[in-house]
Amino acid sequence: MTLQQRIGKWVLSWPPLVYMVLFFLVPTLIMVVAAFRYPGDYGGLAPMYSVEDGKVVWDLTLENFQRLTEDALYFDLFIKSAGYALATTLACILMAYPLAWLIARSPKRYRDLMLLLVILPFWSNFLIRIYAWMIILGPQSAFTRAVNWLVTGLGFEPIQLLFTPFAVIVGMVYVHLPFMVLPLYANLEKHDMALLDAAQDLGANAWQRFWRVTWPLSLPGVFAGSALVFIPALGMFAIPDILGGTDSIMIGNLIKQQILDTRDWPFGSVLSIMLTGGVLLIAALGAAVARGGRKRG
Amino acid sequence: MALLEIRNVVKRFGDFTAVNDVSLSVEAGEFFTLLGPSGCGKTTLLRMLAGFEQPDSGAILLDGLDMSRVPPEKRPVHTVFQSYALFPHMTVRENIAFPLKMAGWDRKKIDSQVDELLEDVRLTQFGQRYPHEMSGGQRQRVAIARALVDRPRLLLLDEPLSALDAKLREQMQIELINLQKEVGITFVYVTHDQGEALALSHRIAVMSHGQVEQLDIPERIYSHPKNRFVADFIGQCNVLEGTVKAVEGATMVVSIKGCGDVKCSTVPGVVSGQAGWLALRPEKIKLDKELPDLPDEAYFKGRVHDCLYMGDVTIYIVEVGEGVLVEAMLPNNIPGVAKFFDDHDLVEIAWRFDAGSFLTE
């Protein structure tokens, strides 16, 4: 690399670098420090140190972390959130796969239009779309009534859709589906159709052709989409807030509650660290699995 | 009974008739080639044999059984694809084992069978490699091994050597011939390369516009093309316009336009006065400064119009009569001599009456 190229690289990359340091790295560090501080008397944070007899006394503590271990509730909530995120991810895979396949196999001139339709919901506000689901799943909606007509027809008690874990998952799948469709489409679109011909020619039925050829070759797309769905889904709080009942809160709701309602910033920070750590751990596991897959691929 | 029988098969795509009433049969153990330019229907015919396309009418019989309702995965037929279509996420071993796994063989039998095939195609060391780690020729051999591993009744090869360079192609041709002899499986080979077809095949069907123009052994296809298309498509050929002047038993006299009368072998059914073409291979023509005018040879004086030096041979384009150009080919078999004649040299050419064949279509 010449000197000019090296200088050019730095000139181009310092604005995003400064941006990331200022607005991502610094706040994260503030959060980490906050986790070791006492809450203030009226919310927020207590002073980090005081000066007594001319000596600096640090007011830092591990109590906030101890609280995490004292009550199993927090860990259970994290596991429950991971369960919601996992269910969302699986549902997204199941729904996005056929759609991505259909788009990838459509004539080229229709593909862009179909992709546009997939991302069209982004053109309206996120909260408005979630409130729309509140209406769709509400007790008076045509959808709910149709469901209950069917349910009672089969001899069961009418069911409630809104404010249930089901509603939360429906909302999360709805919001995250495009993030699964797009990477899957990008992967499936590149598949060599001759491979499926070859598999069929060599004796594989439709089921075997999918599981032995298409599925393993699409795993990079599945992993990419899963990361894009699972990670934001894990920290989601707006959807459980609006569509979920009291029993369907997630770790994101708890963090929001600690920071905004209870104004216990240190404990909110601890919960955030747990969430970030959990996501990193899961992402690392996913990357390891994906790397194994790529080595074979 | 023939192993494979194709009866009056027709295949249309919209208005386009890709395969138009083709009938032919392939014997067990044969190396059979479908030869023709792109768009002649050879690949469509092959895809119908594999089961990827259904004939619009006609029947395909394998071992006497109608294949029309049998899907590709149920046919005892495998294809070596032009792009090889190796599974990129599987090792060479896994690729070759694929048909056996699909057929539900047990692990031990699969292992020993795959070992055998790896040995057959000389890739024993490469079992654990992935396709992208191998050269074009090696991938080709994997594709063949994979298609042969469960001993299909029929192996279809779709221009399998077209992606290889000339040197490797020749080597693979020899390997293909030997492999076919060894395994004894019937090959149906599709190519547009006439040299490849002549070198490999027991019999060749030359196709154009969805029809079989000529079906014969390579020697006959080359030396006795049935019509102008075959003469033109296979190798170099002089096609001289002429009219039959007289039929005299085994020979007849043809008057070549702008040139003169020549003797040639009688073609059954040809009558005096009939117009046609004399097809003549360049290497069958004698060319020298002076030649004797023999009774059973055509003989003309001419002038060298152009020379094409090809290395092993030189092609001389000789003008005989008015504007009639005849290509003659001489091997460059004398050390130190690259060309025997130059442009504008006066020469004489001659050929035996049975060197060429008279075509009526």
Side-chain angles (χ1 to χ4, degrees), chain B residues 72-312:
Chain B
E73 64 266 35
K74 297 262 169 65
R75 297 190 184 195
V77 174
H78 291 330
T79 308
V80 175
F81 291 86
Q82 191 168 5
S83 62
Y84 313 146
L86 298 178
F87 303 122
H89 57 300
M90 297 181 197
T91 61
V92 167
R93 276 199 85 87
E94 288 166 334
N95 263 283
I96 297 176
F98 188 84
L100 305 179
K101 262 192 204 143
M102 294 305 106
W105 285 34
D106 70 57
R107 221 190 163 72
K108 258 199 171 138
K109 269 180 77 185
I110 290 180
D111 277 347
S112 67
Q113 183 72 2
V114 172
D115 282 337
E116 195 179 309
L117 260 293
L118 280 170
E119 205 171 302
D120 282 350
V121 295
R122 300 184 290 107
L123 287 174
T124 306
Q125 313 301 319
F126 296 90
Q128 297 312 316
R129 294 248 189 133
Y130 284 92
H132 67 89
E133 299 170 322
M134 309 187 78
S135 71
Q138 289 169 333
R139 274 184 242 180
Q140 170 72 79
R141 300 214 296 265
V142 177
I144 293 171
R146 185 179 67 173
L148 284 174
V149 71
D150 64 346
R151 307 281 150 184
R153 295 291 288 150
L154 197 61
L155 186 74
L156 309 175
L157 302 104
D158 183 10
E159 310 235 8
L161 306 185
S162 60
L164 304 177
D165 61 66
K167 197 89 192 160
L168 197 54
R169 205 178 311 156
E170 196 173 309
Q171 190 191 324
M172 281 303 299
Q173 286 178 9
I174 297 168
E175 282 188 32
L176 268 179
I177 294 175
N178 290 334
L179 193 65
Q180 201 262 343
K181 260 187 230 160
E182 217 173 279
V183 296
I185 287 170
T186 312
F187 281 25
V188 173
Y189 192 95
V190 157
T191 182
H192 65 272
D193 183 323
Q194 39 101 10
E196 210 167 278
L198 294 172
L200 294 174
S201 323
H202 296 142
R203 282 194 308 154
I204 300 171
V206 184
M207 290 185 68
S208 111
H209 296 108
Q211 286 176 309
V212 174
E213 299 284 347
Q214 186 172 2
L215 197 167
D216 217 326
I217 59 171
E219 296 81 18
R220 298 275 310 167
I221 296 263
Y222 186 79
S223 62
H224 291 86
K226 221 172 105 185
N227 55 34
R228 284 180 69 194
F229 174 81
V230 177
D232 234 18
F233 190 72
I234 312 286
Q236 297 280 90
C237 198
N238 293 294
V239 179
L240 307 171
E241 211 178 330
T243 318
V244 178
K245 223 175 174 183
V247 181
E248 301 156 350
T251 64
M252 58 188 193
V253 179
V254 175
S255 172
I256 304 290
K257 201 174 156 190
C259 201
D261 293 355
V262 297
K263 249 203 234 172
C264 76
S265 301
T266 299
V267 178
V270 167
V271 293
S272 167
Q274 197 163 351
W277 298 269
L278 184 68
L280 207 55
R281 298 287 179 195
E283 73 276 10
K284 302 265 171 72
I285 297 177
K286 296 182 211 170
L287 169 69
D288 215 333
K289 261 202 162 56
E290 276 176 13
L291 283 170
D293 186 358
L294 301 171
D296 59 352
E297 283 192 357
Y299 167 87
F300 293 104
K301 285 185 196 306
R303 187 185 286 274
V304 176
H305 194 266
D306 269 311
C307 306
L308 301 173
Y309 175 70
M310 316 284 280
D312 52 349

Side-chain angles (χ1 to χ4, degrees), chain A residues 195 197 200-202 212 296, chain B residues 52 73 78-79 89 130:
Chain A
L195 294 181
D197 275 357
Q200 186 175 16
D201 185 76
L202 296 167
R212 302 252 179 198
R296 293 170 56 81
Chain B
F52 292 118
E73 64 266 35
H78 291 330
T79 308
H89 57 300
Y130 284 92

